[in-house]
Amino acid sequence: MGPHDDARRPARPGRARGGAAAAAGEGKVRIDADELHYAFQKREVIFTGKPVVLTRGDAKLTCARLVATNDARGEVSQAICSGDVRFERGERLVTCEKATYEAAAARLVCEGSPVLRDGPSEARGTRLVYDLKRDEAKLEGAKMLLPGDEVDARRRELEARRKGATP
């Protein structure tokens, strides 16, 4: 077993590797990284690779570098992903330059030109906050692109609401 084999094993929830991946939903955690560096005094775990892949339940977070900070109990309190960041869950895909997982709030904050794709719809903004418990996203400075048929369907729905009818 080589020095990098440990980074490819499934992690236990609540530990340095497992807590960082809690951003990705429920279930067992699997982290694949080319390298892992543990700074014991700083309580930091640094994962690097092309890419670092955290998988948990129905979601996957990938990036070039992940820095996880542990609390006094050894659980991850924060994880910062940078470089080609992608978060996938179901039909949704979020891309950005930097994503910060906040364990206490169970949320992922994406900064640096975040893009949210949900099926054929695409929204761009300045900052995206993804609530992992409620599976909801808030995009600040949003601009949304919708396929033509979806635009027509939403227009008809709005017209029906204005007339007091149900769509």
Side-chain angles (χ1 to χ4, degrees):
M1 187 157 58
H4 305 298
D5 293 340
D6 190 49
R8 296 184 185 273
R9 287 188 189 157
R12 290 179 296 167
R15 298 291 172 227
R17 289 176 288 158
E26 298 299 323
K28 285 193 174 193
V29 172
R30 178 176 174 92
I31 298 175
D32 292 303
D34 290 337
E35 290 191 16
L36 172 129
H37 175 79
Y38 201 114
F40 294 100
Q41 291 182 345
K42 289 179 163 182
R43 294 185 177 154
E44 276 186 354
V45 182
I46 301 169
F47 298 91
T48 56
K50 294 267 182 181
V52 175
V53 180
L54 294 90
T55 306
R56 185 172 180 158
D58 65 345
K60 181 167 63 170
L61 180 64
T62 62
C63 59
R65 176 184 164 101
L66 185 143
V67 179
T69 305
N70 295 339
D71 62 16
R73 298 174 313 209
E75 295 181 5
V76 171
S77 57
Q78 183 181 68
I80 300 172
C81 249
S82 59
D84 300 320
V85 178
R86 292 174 58 94
F87 176 73
E88 299 174 62
R89 192 177 208 181
E91 290 284 315
R92 289 166 303 290
L93 168 66
V94 175
T95 58
C96 62
E97 294 172 20
K98 175 184 165 188
T100 303
Y101 169 63
E102 301 167 354
R107 70 178 167 208
L108 189 68
V109 178
C110 299
E111 298 172 299
S113 305
V115 177
L116 170 63
R117 291 179 183 90
D118 187 12
S121 300
E122 180 179 295
R124 296 174 180 269
T126 56
R127 184 172 184 261
L128 180 137
V129 179
Y130 199 113
D131 183 316
L132 299 161
K133 286 183 184 175
R134 292 188 284 173
D135 196 26
E136 295 177 357
K138 175 185 175 186
L139 185 62
E140 297 170 7
K143 294 180 181 175
M144 188 163 190
L145 302 171
L146 301 170
D149 57 343
E150 195 170 328
V151 171
D152 291 339
R154 289 189 183 193
R155 180 183 47 76
R156 287 190 299 273
E157 183 180 317
L158 285 172
E159 288 173 0
R161 283 186 189 159
R162 286 185 189 132
K163 292 178 183 176
T166 56

